Amino acid sequence: MNNRIYVAIDVETTGLQSGLDEIIEVAAVTFRGRDILDRFERLVRPRQSVPLKITRLTGIDPAALAQAPRFNEIGADLARFIGNRPIVGHSIGFDLMMLRAQGMNFNQPIYDTFELATLLLPQATSYKLSALAARLGIPHPDAHRALNDAEVAAQLFAVLSERMLQLDLATLGEMVRLMSKIGLPLRDLFEEALRQKARNAFLEPIAAPPEPADALTPEPTPLRPTGDQRPLDLDAIGAFFSPDGPFGRTFPGYEARPPQVEMARAVAAAFNCSEPLMVEAGTGTGKSMAYLVPAALYATQRGERVVISTNTINLQDQLYNKDIPDLQRIFAAAGLPPFRAALLKGRSNYLCLKRYHELRRSENLTVEEVRALLKIQLWLPSTTSGDRTELPLIDREQAAWNKLNVTVETCTGSRCPHFRECYFFRARRAAEASHLVVVNHALLIADLAAASQVLPPYDHLIIDEAHNLEDVATDQLSFNLDQAGLLKFLDDLFQTGGVQVVSGLLSELPTVLNEIGGGGAAGERINAAIERMRPTLIRARTAIYDCFNLLTRFVQLDTEAGQYDPRLRLTKSVRQRPEWQAITQAWQNLNDILAAIGNELAVIEEQVRELNETTGALNDVLVRTEVLRRFATDVRVRSGHIIFGDDDSICWLTYDRQRDTLTLTAAPLSVAEILQSQLFAQKQTSILASATLSITGDFSFVKSRIGLDECTELMLDSPFDYAQQALVYIPNDIPEPNQRGYQQMIEQAIVDLAVAAEGRMLALFTASNALRQTYTAIQEPLEDHRIGVMAQGIDGSRRALVDRLKEFPRSVLLGTNSFWEGVDVVGDALSVLVITKLPFAVPTDPVVAARSEQFADPFNEYSVPQSILRFKQGFGRLIRSRDDRGIVVVLDRRLLTKKYGQQFLDSLPHTRVRTGPLAQLPGLVARFLRGGRS
Ligand code: SF4
């Protein structure tokens, strides 16, 4: 394959929309192996102006474009240069789409280096051209210029082709077999590699099929209590953080932070006295090390496990990949006993080897399933975790993952032939052997809901980002049911997919019984139960449709009555409407049918157990029967609570108009009692930490929400000097959010502020429609000042947007939801934070509405405290280091006009607050950022 001549192509454009955007530069190179043979490069004059973000991205001078030819003047030269050679490019589909829009045609083979790289480099962290070039040592000095990108794509293709030839014959053969099922364009490359390898086969040893990378590594020994019951020495903990302690000796220039030391001592005391601790530690305290040090010392001394739970992947990554390895090095340097740490995720994150091999053998594979299998095949030899986040699945390949991941329903546990090398059970065993186990809140609550079957046993718990615990617990403890879920249940039992194709438990059971000679009397009883179930399954399908049609119509009636919220909360009065009567009857019918199915499944389960056989197929059948029987019971009970009402649950229907789907949901009215009795009361140590847990210096609200009534409280100020570093400005002459002119004021204020600050701005919104409206309105005026505008949900992922703000500070970034937390931009690139509106929860949200009813004064006792916590999170985005300076502008005058406004301000770190006319703000911002008097 290295002797063939290919042509690599790249275009730069005014944007990403075909039919709207235009080519501004095109380049192509011919190449053989790693040798570039010839080059073609032209600028192209577009009809529209080039957006600032494109000029920034490409560095193409608009003046040079004004002198360039139109595409029709260079198209014929380009076509001649390309000829009929095979085409190569990175995400080449886009480039060819733009060229086809100019009338060009391509009938030759096309190879996408992006696609090839996702197969051959399964563990790359990014598949952008520049990231791949850096990883493979290909120089890429001038990214986003067409010629350079085309040359790098050519080099990348050559390197990947060489890698392909390094695959063993068995792997190449299997890949070609899978590709032949779907006609993947890359297939002929792999076939050619296979032919070349086959020609040289006698020179190579025969390789075994790929197996998990560390299948044979010895297992760590589970943690054993040491019997050492001495308490932690609080002074020794303090000394750990002193400049001449382990930190100071490891990190030159290390400075002790008194709040961090205070927190570490409090955490150690919480371990010693088993009293829960709630600690609010302001930004910059260094709270993760403040709990990791005592946790690791306690765990190693006693041989006991400490579970650390976070809400975000960012913090999980930081703990597991940075802080914990740092601390392990510090322990080693200080001569302290080593400690082990593990990261444990939910089941669905891990590859199930049994399902992988089953799917590989399947005859009916979709394109996405084949692509996922190809990627997994090349990933298996290198992964030690089987963790899905290492695997570059894109778009609908991700749906294929649901047929490959670990699920309770399909796992046969110790009876599985892959149990020993199973990634999930290896991760669990690693957690059992670890002193520190990092998990997320969702897994923590899933463990609680599954009666501690998910995590290894533990007595000591640290919850970071604890302000999210109520929301995550509410989500995790909620029950959702839709029509698709019920139909899948029936399909898992029995499904006909055409004349020949039948699948599902009931169709497989007779075959499995035949394999063991019929199963005697038990086999007969199983077959009889299957026969009895057949007509019931047909009735079940009808009953499901009847029930969901009535429910959908019920929601639609509500919508027609002028309610536009897609969620309808099921209150007593809603259930008293005459139309609800028909729904209860339809549900009763469905309930009876599900009960009948559950009874027959119980018979089958009992008889399969009676067979007392241990074949793999029977084990599999037993697990599936158990799971389906449990599903039938759970659904009846829990959906019954939704239909008839239940004092402890918040129930609602959600109708998704676009997809025409209806979901029933039941969420716990309160998670406090559950968390208290099933989590905190069960643990010797419970430590909850966050930067935002108090309201005007009081923890009562959060404590009551999560059921932690009795605990030690500690509030630590940030080491940052907010009084000097930050200023809060509240304009006093603007409309309030529900008044006329408010949206226009937001738009104009952001433009004026951005011009004064030269970008460097993050604006936080509470609703995406307001964000989008603002985005559209401010683009043009800010582009006139060469300031770019980027928005969440429009211009890329959160990480990409934050990176771009850091790289191009002359920008305004607009965000909602997740941007209120976790955005971390140190330095000048973020100097102005705009909070457009106080972040009150939507009062019609079923959970908010139902929980509000628990208070005598719902607004002041529930909505205001919730909003203050979020407001504090948003505020925390501005000052991220001792050297940061910046202004927070709150464009919500209710801070001044409403009684609750002062509570918001009193909850912030000690900061200067000013009010005045909006018109004064730009001048003040400019002076403040220049370091002058404000
Ligand atoms: S033990 Fe369970 S999860 Fe692991 S490979 Fe076997 S079936 Fe899959």
Side-chain angles (χ1 to χ4, degrees):
M1 68 175 59
N2 283 341
N3 292 326
R4 200 191 287 179
I5 297 180
Y6 299 86
V7 59
I9 300 176
D10 188 77
V11 300
E12 301 302 330
T13 62
T14 55
L16 298 176
Q17 299 184 62
S18 164
L20 286 179
D21 286 305
E22 296 176 74
I23 294 173
I24 55 173
E25 185 176 45
V26 59
V29 296
T30 53
F31 66 101
R32 184 194 291 117
R34 294 197 185 206
D35 298 329
I36 303 292
L37 305 176
D38 200 1
R39 294 172 172 82
F40 178 97
E41 180 186 26
R42 298 285 188 281
L43 287 178
V44 179
R45 179 156 46 107
R47 287 183 168 74
Q48 57 187 279
S49 62
V50 180
L52 177 61
K53 58 183 114 183
I54 298 297
T55 304
R56 279 180 177 172
L57 187 72
T58 60
I60 295 175
D61 180 4
L65 281 181
Q67 309 297 321
R70 299 271 190 211
F71 190 89
N72 59 8
E73 297 172 60
I74 59 121
D77 292 345
L78 176 64
R80 265 192 301 281
F81 186 88
I82 295 170
N84 57 4
R85 297 183 182 96
I87 292 175
V88 168
H90 202 66
S91 300
I92 187 68
F94 173 76
D95 303 73
L96 297 186
M97 178 180 72
M98 296 304 287
L99 292 169
R100 284 188 183 113
Q102 297 293 334
M104 295 188 75
N105 286 311
F106 308 98
N107 299 316
Q108 57 266 68
I110 292 158
Y111 305 119
D112 188 342
T113 48
F114 172 88
E115 193 165 10
L116 202 50
T118 58
L119 285 178
L120 292 164
L121 301 172
Q123 278 167 324
T125 48
S126 165
Y127 291 88
K128 284 184 185 166
L129 188 60
S130 50
L132 290 170
R135 182 185 164 104
L136 298 171
I138 300 168
H140 194 196
D142 211 4
H144 300 297
R145 289 305 300 263
L147 182 62
N148 197 261
D149 285 357
E151 287 194 22
V152 173
Q155 297 290 342
L156 176 60
F157 181 79
V159 173
L160 293 175
S161 300
E162 288 161 17
R163 290 210 166 204
M164 208 185 306
L165 286 168
Q166 287 164 11
L167 297 176
D168 59 68
L169 263 176
T171 303
L172 277 170
E174 174 67 0
M175 295 195 76
V176 169
R177 183 187 76 83
L178 285 169
M179 285 179 185
S180 66
K181 288 179 183 278
I182 56 164
L184 199 71
L186 297 174
R187 174 183 159 187
D188 49 353
L189 287 180
F190 281 85
E191 274 180 344
E192 200 173 323
L194 181 62
R195 277 196 295 275
Q196 277 194 34
K197 292 287 283 193
R199 279 198 293 274
N200 300 328
F202 62 93
L203 298 174
E204 282 189 16
I206 293 171
E211 280 301 332
D214 65 344
L216 300 174
T217 1
E219 296 270 332
T221 37
L223 220 52
R224 298 256 178 273
T226 59
D228 183 346
Q229 296 292 313
R230 284 172 303 148
L232 288 173
D233 178 344
L234 303 198
D235 291 335
I237 298 279
F240 204 100
F241 291 88
S242 72
D244 53 359
F247 272 108
R249 290 198 297 274
T250 310
F251 299 113
Y254 166 83
E255 279 180 41
R257 285 176 269 186
Q260 187 180 35
V261 178
E262 198 182 340
M263 178 171 167
R265 289 175 65 105
V267 170
F271 273 108
N272 287 344
C273 68
S274 299
E275 165 101 8
L277 168 70
M278 185 174 272
V279 50
E280 181 178 84
T283 316
T285 306
K287 68 175 164 19
S288 40
M289 278 301 181
Y291 59 69
L292 284 175
V293 169
L297 287 169
Y298 188 87
T300 48
Q301 182 183 310
R302 301 207 174 200
E304 293 180 21
R305 194 171 297 112
V306 179
V307 166
I308 301 164
S309 181
T310 74
N311 185 50
T312 59
I313 291 176
N314 280 356
L315 181 57
Q316 203 173 57
D317 269 0
Q318 186 203 310
L319 287 177
Y320 190 68
N321 296 319
K322 183 174 181 314
D323 294 345
I324 288 177
D326 278 352
L327 194 58
Q328 284 170 323
R329 277 193 295 280
I330 292 169
F331 266 49
L336 291 164
F339 67 89
R340 291 188 293 268
L343 177 67
L344 194 58
K345 299 188 175 182
R347 280 187 172 81
S348 61
N349 290 285
Y350 298 93
L351 176 75
C352 168
L353 288 165
K354 179 168 81 76
R355 298 184 86 195
Y356 164 67
H357 288 297
E358 282 167 3
L359 195 68
R360 267 182 59 218
R361 289 194 291 270
S362 168
E363 283 307 313
N364 304 304
L365 292 173
T366 65
V367 173
E368 287 75 27
E369 285 164 3
V370 168
R371 294 166 80 110
L373 285 171
L374 288 167
K375 289 178 179 177
I376 290 170
Q377 189 180 2
L378 292 187
W379 173 58
L380 270 183
S382 58
T383 181
T384 55
S385 71
D387 181 344
R388 183 233 165 294
T389 50
E390 289 179 2
L391 196 60
L393 298 180
I394 47 174
D395 303 331
R396 284 192 296 170
E397 290 163 20
Q398 306 199 30
W401 179 255
N402 295 334
K403 292 194 172 179
L404 293 159
N405 59 2
V406 179
T407 67
V408 177
E409 293 85 347
T410 51
C411 177
T412 48
S414 57
R415 290 166 292 177
C416 166
H418 304 282
F419 182 66
R420 198 169 154 256
E421 71 266 26
C422 171
Y423 295 113
F424 172 67
F425 283 102
R426 286 176 72 87
R428 244 197 89 121
R429 290 194 288 270
E432 279 165 15
S434 292
H435 299 90
L436 304 185
V437 180
V438 180
V439 301
N440 64 17
H441 294 355
L443 191 63
L444 183 79
I445 304 298
D447 182 59
L448 177 154
S452 308
Q453 298 293 304
V454 181
L455 299 178
Y458 67 99
D459 291 323
H460 311 286
L461 172 64
I462 296 172
I463 300 178
D464 201 343
E465 301 179 314
H467 59 281
N468 297 111
L469 189 62
E470 185 189 8
D471 285 348
V472 177
T474 302
D475 279 355
Q476 286 296 313
L477 299 172
S478 290
F479 166 76
N480 293 293
L481 180 71
D482 60 10
Q483 180 171 294
L486 277 169
L487 292 177
K488 182 178 178 301
F489 163 72
L490 295 186
D491 288 347
D492 287 346
L493 282 169
F494 184 77
Q495 184 184 18
T496 51
V499 189
Q500 298 285 326
V501 186
V502 281
S503 61
L505 180 74
L506 303 189
S507 66
E508 291 165 35
L509 253 170
T511 316
V512 176
L513 289 175
N514 279 342
E515 282 168 10
I516 57 161
E524 280 171 24
R525 283 192 280 273
I526 292 170
N527 281 323
I530 294 173
E531 284 314 310
R532 286 195 299 272
M533 279 172 85
R534 286 190 197 282
T536 316
L537 293 182
I538 295 168
R539 286 196 292 124
R541 220 166 265 273
T542 312
I544 291 168
Y545 290 130
D546 286 349
C547 201
F548 277 84
N549 284 345
L550 285 169
L551 285 163
T552 306
R553 184 67 197 134
F554 190 82
V555 182
Q556 283 170 340
L557 276 177
D558 210 57
T559 312
E560 283 159 16
Q563 302 294 319
Y564 292 105
D565 195 316
R567 289 166 300 181
L568 173 62
R569 186 175 154 217
L570 299 174
T571 57
K572 264 196 188 120
S573 67
V574 171
R575 289 194 187 93
Q576 278 164 4
R577 290 183 196 166
E579 300 86 1
W580 193 253
Q581 187 61 31
I583 289 173
T584 56
Q585 282 162 8
W587 180 85
Q588 192 60 56
N589 179 36
L590 176 59
N591 177 61
D592 294 346
I593 293 172
L594 288 173
I597 293 173
N599 289 340
E600 297 297 0
L601 285 170
V603 170
I604 293 175
E605 192 182 323
E606 194 187 330
Q607 297 307 313
V608 171
R609 283 189 203 285
E610 209 141 278
L611 289 170
N612 211 10
E613 294 273 350
T614 52
T615 69
L618 260 185
N619 284 333
D620 199 43
V621 157
L622 188 58
V623 170
R624 286 161 63 195
T625 312
E626 250 180 272
V627 167
L628 290 168
R629 182 198 32 89
R630 270 205 309 268
F631 179 91
T633 309
D634 279 2
V635 162
R636 283 176 50 230
V637 173
R638 303 192 71 172
S639 64
H641 289 161
I642 299 176
I643 299 295
F644 294 106
D646 159 20
D647 288 346
D648 295 330
S649 302
I650 307 161
C651 304
W652 70 93
L653 307 175
T654 308
Y655 178 55
D656 182 332
R657 258 179 258 187
Q658 262 179 344
R659 287 188 290 161
D660 192 22
T661 56
L662 183 123
T663 308
L664 295 92
T665 304
L669 182 57
S670 164
V671 294
E673 164 59 25
I674 302 169
L675 292 177
Q676 166 56 30
S677 60
Q678 296 180 41
L679 190 65
F680 304 131
Q682 307 294 324
K683 304 300 164 204
Q684 269 181 47
T685 315
S686 298
I687 294 160
L688 291 90
S690 165
T692 51
L693 289 172
S694 74
I695 289 144
T696 57
D698 186 347
F699 289 98
S700 317
F701 178 72
V702 171
K703 280 168 59 180
S704 68
R705 300 309 305 160
I706 58 173
L708 196 62
D709 302 331
E710 297 292 324
C711 68
T712 307
E713 298 171 8
L714 178 66
M715 195 171 317
L716 297 166
D717 285 340
S718 162
F720 303 153
D721 184 355
Y722 280 93
Q724 289 304 315
Q725 292 178 252
L727 174 71
V728 176
Y729 191 91
I730 312 156
N732 57 12
D733 58 349
I734 55 175
E736 291 192 2
N738 54 357
Q739 293 177 333
R740 275 164 69 99
Y742 171 74
Q743 173 61 27
Q744 289 76 4
M745 177 278 295
I746 296 275
E747 293 159 8
Q748 193 56 51
I750 290 180
V751 169
D752 295 343
L753 275 168
V755 172
E758 301 178 359
R760 305 193 271 167
M761 181 194 291
L762 170 66
L764 295 175
F765 288 77
T766 56
S768 55
N769 53 354
L771 176 146
R772 285 176 181 271
Q773 211 175 323
T774 308
Y775 177 78
T776 309
I778 67 175
Q779 290 241 32
E780 223 175 277
L782 284 179
E783 289 226 345
D784 289 346
H785 293 272
R786 314 298 292 159
I787 294 169
V789 181
M790 307 176 280
Q792 180 187 5
I794 299 175
D795 290 308
S797 69
R798 182 171 111 146
R799 185 183 221 153
L801 293 176
V802 171
D803 285 351
R804 251 188 281 162
L805 180 63
K806 290 177 186 168
E807 190 182 351
F808 298 109
R810 229 183 140 77
S811 300
V812 171
L813 173 55
L814 313 181
T816 83
N817 304 331
S818 62
F819 279 62
W820 286 76
E821 289 192 31
V823 170
D824 190 5
V825 181
V826 178
D828 288 350
L830 175 48
S831 300
V832 180
L833 174 74
V834 175
I835 293 180
T836 55
K837 193 175 171 185
L838 298 181
F840 286 108
V842 180
T844 52
D845 177 288
V847 173
V848 175
R851 289 183 176 165
S852 294
E853 290 164 6
Q854 308 294 302
F855 295 88
D857 178 0
F859 183 72
N860 285 306
E861 293 175 29
Y862 181 60
S863 296
V864 168
Q866 263 199 334
S867 180
I868 289 175
L869 290 175
R870 193 133 184 83
F871 181 73
K872 284 173 72 174
Q873 278 290 338
F875 177 87
R877 300 312 99 218
L878 184 70
I879 303 296
R880 307 303 298 171
S881 80
R882 284 178 203 268
D883 300 323
D884 280 4
R885 273 170 65 76
I887 291 195
V888 178
V889 176
V890 187
L891 294 174
D892 191 332
R893 200 159 62 95
R894 291 177 295 178
L895 271 188
L896 305 172
T897 59
K898 304 292 181 195
K899 246 183 19 210
Y900 56 76
Q902 197 56 41
Q903 286 185 60
F904 280 77
L905 296 172
D906 290 345
S907 296
L908 297 179
H910 181 61
T911 314
R912 283 173 292 168
V913 178
R914 289 192 52 180
T915 64
L918 182 63
Q920 284 187 2
L921 188 53
L924 182 142
V925 165
R927 283 198 306 281
F928 183 87
L929 296 183
R930 277 199 307 268
R933 284 180 58 80
S934 55

